[in-house]
């Protein structure tokens, strides 16, 4: 894999040189008012590295069953790359597969895509200089150049243009890395490849306590989180280290139980609503997670359900609407078999019973995701649709997260816990809620964590071909 190693080294060299040049020019402008030399743009000294893969149609031993790392047609495939050090393992995997199975040529050069100055300001004190002043002389963020056209299958290119190599280019990736730090309060470098989403803070307490005890075992080396939480040795009651300001400062705090290869677990408390769910998955997608799962609460819609029962989503009624313009609600979201089986197996392990006994605690079926926090007030208008869909649970995030997984080719799944039954007179009253939380959260979270372990063992088998579009970029 010598060609892959040389390519990665060149990506790092070109990117580091561009960042160093841009930072030096900004520093000179801020400190001395020195304008950047006019040849910077002409010589593309502030640009992302461009990675090209040229394929003439000769295979070595291509794997037909794998969902990624495949070249469908001869041609030149291209993308820009940011932070090649952060993405080194991912890039090495993707390039190694292509090098091993196809006669290909890798090339790295300076691209035409400039690095916006906000993404290199870390460590530079701009003082009284305004961002508008910097934007007059240095590359700024042009939102018209950032989008998901490749992922959404609406990318328009001329016949002579290279084919897309990846779903996200350098500009889109940097945009999301900056947003992740803002929304989650934790470093994107600490994000792990298995992600759990929840909609209640009590899951954070349970996760942090559990994670604090895992450091130093099973490959886990640290726990990082919003508000500056960082532990690199095991502790009890790690929740006591949580910052009380995290929720005030960060909209969706994240907590990362870290493995050096990023195969650990990230928990994000996304709060309530499909807008938050879309926001966080838009940005986490650039890190190419192996899987993300919704582990939260829902309203039970069936008389036979009890508070604390589990709901394993096999389908979704998408009344969230937030993705309708890019993924119309009539597009089906297929259940990912590997994820469904892992969730069911984990639930069986934690509950201590399988077969008919597990069915007493867990139902599979349709989950309604709504954008109306007070949907109960309009139940009469929705009852027929709910009944036609055979829905068993309702929440405000799960379908959005799964639709985003479908859209961005990230395996997804949902296991919810019934916290109330609003249609049957069992409301989430304070006393009842506390008893439910105390009894159910630890077990529910444990199911999610065991599921991550099971999915980690799947390797590349986890990535289903049913998530791949007709003309897919080679990179996962």
């Amino acid at each position: 894999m010598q060609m892959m190693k040389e390519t990665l080294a060149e990506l790092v060299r070109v990117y580091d040189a561009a960042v160093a040049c841009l930072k030096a020019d900004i520093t000179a402008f801020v400190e001395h008012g020195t304008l950047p030399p006019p040849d910077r743009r002409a010589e593309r000294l502030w640009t992302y590295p461009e990675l090209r893969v040229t394929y003439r149609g000769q295979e070595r031993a291509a794997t037909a069953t794998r969902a990624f790392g495949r070249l469908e047609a001869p041609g030149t495939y291209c993308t820009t790359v940011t932070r090649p050090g952060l993405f080194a393992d991912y890039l090495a995997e993707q390039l190694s597969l292509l090098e091993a199975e196809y006669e290909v040529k890798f090339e790295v050069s300076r691209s035409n895509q400039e690095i916006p100055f906000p993404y290199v300001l870390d460590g530079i004190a701009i003082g009284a200089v305004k961002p508008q002043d910097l934007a007059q002389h240095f590359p700024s963020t042009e939102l018209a150049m950032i989008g998901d056209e490749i992922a959404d299958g609406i990318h328009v290119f001329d016949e002579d243009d290279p084919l897309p190599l990846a779903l996200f280019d350098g500009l889109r990736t940097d945009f999301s890395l900056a947003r992740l730090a803002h929304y989650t309060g934790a470093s994107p470098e600490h994000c792990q490849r298995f992600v759990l989403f929840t909609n209640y803070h009590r899951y954070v307490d349970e996760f942090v306590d559990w994670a604090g005890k895992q450091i130093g075992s099973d490959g886990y080396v640290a726990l990082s989180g919003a508000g500056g939480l960082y532990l690199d040795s095991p502790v009890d009651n790690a929740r006591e280290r949580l910052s009380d300001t995290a929720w005030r400062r960060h909209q969706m705090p994240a907590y990362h139980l870290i493995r050096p290869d990023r195969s650990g677990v990230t928990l994000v408390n996304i709060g309530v609503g499909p807008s938050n769910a879309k926001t966080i998955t838009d940005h986490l997608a650039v890190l190419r997670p192996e899987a993300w799962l919704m582990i939260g609460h829902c309203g039970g819609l069936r008389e036979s359900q009890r508070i604390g029962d589990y709901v394993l989503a096999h389908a979704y009624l998408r009344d969230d609407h937030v993705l309708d313009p890019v993924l119309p609600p009539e597009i089906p979201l297929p259940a990912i078999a590997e994820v469904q089986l892992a969730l069911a197996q984990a639930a069986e392990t934690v509950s201590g019973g399988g077969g008919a006994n597990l069915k007493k605690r867990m139902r599979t079926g349709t989950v309604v995701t709504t954008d109306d926090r007070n949907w109960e007030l309009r139940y009469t208008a929705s009852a027929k649709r709910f009944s036609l869909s055979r829905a068993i649970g309702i929440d405000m995030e799960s379908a959005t997260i799964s639709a985003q997984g479908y859209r961005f080719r990230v395996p997804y799944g949902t296991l919810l816990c019934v916290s109330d039954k609003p249609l049957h007179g069992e409301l989430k009253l304070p006393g009842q809620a506390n008893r439910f939380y105390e009894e159910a959260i630890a077990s529910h979270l444990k199911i999610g964590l065991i599921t991550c372990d099971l999915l980690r063992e799947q390797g590349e088998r986890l990535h289903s071909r049913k998530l791949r579009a007709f003309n897919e970029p080679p990179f996962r």
Side-chain angles (χ1 to χ4, degrees):
M1 296 298 169
Q2 184 62 29
M3 184 167 61
M4 176 273 291
K5 294 179 180 178
E6 292 174 354
T7 300
L8 288 179
E10 185 65 3
L11 283 170
V12 171
R13 188 193 69 78
V14 174
Y15 175 77
D16 286 352
V19 170
C21 180
L22 182 54
K23 293 181 75 169
D25 289 342
I26 292 173
T27 299
F29 177 79
V30 169
E31 294 182 353
H32 308 292
T34 305
L35 296 179
D39 65 349
R40 290 297 196 249
R41 284 192 153 122
E43 296 184 12
R44 296 182 293 178
L45 296 179
W46 294 337
T47 65
Y48 293 104
E50 180 179 87
L51 172 59
R52 284 180 174 247
V53 176
T54 303
Y55 171 52
R56 302 301 183 194
Q58 298 297 315
E59 295 183 3
R60 290 194 173 104
T63 302
T65 57
R66 189 178 55 244
F68 59 92
R70 302 180 60 195
L71 296 170
E72 301 290 350
T76 299
Y77 297 79
C78 178
T79 191
T80 55
V81 176
T82 189
R83 307 281 295 277
L86 173 61
F87 291 97
D89 290 344
Y90 170 78
L91 292 168
E93 178 191 37
Q94 306 308 304
L95 292 174
S96 294
L97 291 172
L98 299 181
E99 184 178 357
E101 299 182 4
Y102 301 91
E103 294 286 346
V104 290
K105 178 183 179 182
F106 300 156
E107 297 175 282
V108 176
S109 62
R110 298 170 185 162
S111 72
N112 293 319
Q113 192 179 73
E114 294 183 323
I115 303 173
F117 73 83
Y119 302 146
V120 303
L121 285 183
D122 186 36
I124 300 177
I126 64 173
V129 175
K130 298 178 181 179
Q132 300 94 307
D133 299 329
L134 292 174
Q136 290 182 4
H137 306 288
F138 300 98
S140 59
T141 305
E142 297 289 345
L143 294 180
M145 305 300 293
I146 302 173
D148 290 322
E149 289 82 3
I150 295 175
D152 291 330
I154 57 175
H155 177 66
V156 177
F157 53 91
D158 294 332
E159 186 176 339
D160 296 332
D161 288 345
L163 299 167
L165 182 62
L167 293 176
F168 306 108
D169 62 12
L171 197 58
R172 170 68 166 83
T173 301
D174 262 342
F175 175 79
S176 283
L177 293 177
R179 291 297 178 93
L180 279 174
H182 170 74
Y183 285 119
T184 70
S187 172
E189 288 87 345
H190 294 165
C191 284
Q192 302 298 288
R193 292 187 283 123
F194 295 89
V195 182
L196 298 178
F197 298 109
T198 188
N199 47 15
Y200 283 91
H201 182 75
R202 294 181 189 233
Y203 282 82
V204 172
D205 291 339
E206 193 70 32
F207 177 78
V208 169
D209 269 351
W210 174 83
K213 299 174 185 177
Q214 308 307 309
I215 301 169
S217 64
D218 199 22
Y220 297 115
V221 297
L223 172 64
S224 167
L229 175 70
Y230 191 85
L231 302 172
D232 56 9
S233 58
V235 297
D236 292 325
N237 299 319
R239 74 175 68 180
E240 296 178 0
R241 313 291 184 93
L242 291 175
S243 168
D244 291 335
T245 65
W247 262 111
R248 291 194 292 271
R249 296 173 58 195
H250 307 292
Q251 188 173 348
M252 290 174 275
Y255 302 86
H256 314 290
L257 182 57
I258 299 170
R259 284 182 167 184
D261 63 356
R262 294 187 56 241
S263 67
V265 181
T266 285
L267 177 80
V268 187
N269 186 355
I270 61 176
V272 176
S275 180
N276 276 7
K278 179 183 183 296
T279 296
I280 196 65
T281 46
D282 276 341
H283 301 313
L284 280 172
V286 305
L287 292 171
R288 308 314 297 140
E290 299 286 351
W292 57 41
L293 309 173
M294 180 64 191
I295 306 292
H297 294 172
C298 71
L301 297 180
R302 299 303 183 99
E303 176 64 39
S304 59
Q305 290 172 303
R306 297 171 298 174
I307 304 300
D309 281 357
Y310 299 122
V311 169
L312 176 58
H314 274 2
Y316 302 91
L317 182 60
R318 290 177 52 203
D319 284 351
D320 53 329
H321 302 302
V322 69
L323 286 168
D324 288 3
V326 292
L327 190 67
E330 65 266 20
I331 301 300
L333 304 181
I336 308 301
E338 293 80 3
V339 177
Q340 300 297 98
L341 290 172
L343 282 166
Q345 183 179 341
E348 182 176 334
T349 299
V350 173
S351 66
N357 288 331
L358 182 58
K359 288 183 178 180
K360 294 178 182 178
R361 287 291 318 278
M362 184 175 75
R363 292 191 61 164
T364 60
T366 299
V367 167
V368 180
T369 293
T370 178
D371 59 357
D372 184 356
R373 185 65 184 86
N374 296 310
W375 62 270
E376 299 97 329
L377 301 180
R378 300 189 69 252
Y379 174 70
T380 301
S382 304
K384 182 178 179 180
R385 294 184 69 250
F386 289 4
S387 180
L388 283 174
S389 74
R390 307 300 192 262
I392 59 174
I394 184 167
D395 78 343
M396 298 187 70
E397 301 86 25
S398 294
T400 313
I401 286 169
S402 293
Q404 287 281 79
Y406 178 86
R407 185 178 169 221
F408 294 132
R409 290 74 158 172
V410 177
Y412 51 84
T414 297
L415 184 75
L416 303 174
C417 198
V418 176
S419 60
D420 61 340
K421 293 171 58 182
L423 303 185
H424 304 98
E426 295 188 47
L427 303 178
K428 199 182 299 181
L429 300 175
Q432 181 188 39
N434 285 331
R435 288 193 299 273
F436 161 72
Y437 291 138
E438 291 170 2
E439 296 170 1
I441 287 178
S443 296
H444 193 196
L445 178 63
K446 189 174 181 181
I447 292 172
L449 294 166
I450 292 176
T451 301
C452 291
D453 291 338
L454 294 172
L455 295 178
R456 191 181 294 115
E457 296 170 1
Q458 291 280 338
E460 68 181 32
R461 298 191 306 274
L462 173 60
H463 297 279
S464 174
R465 285 179 290 173
K466 63 171 63 79
L467 296 183
R468 306 287 281 181
F470 288 170
N471 299 308
E472 273 298 285
F475 281 7
R476 175 176 68 76

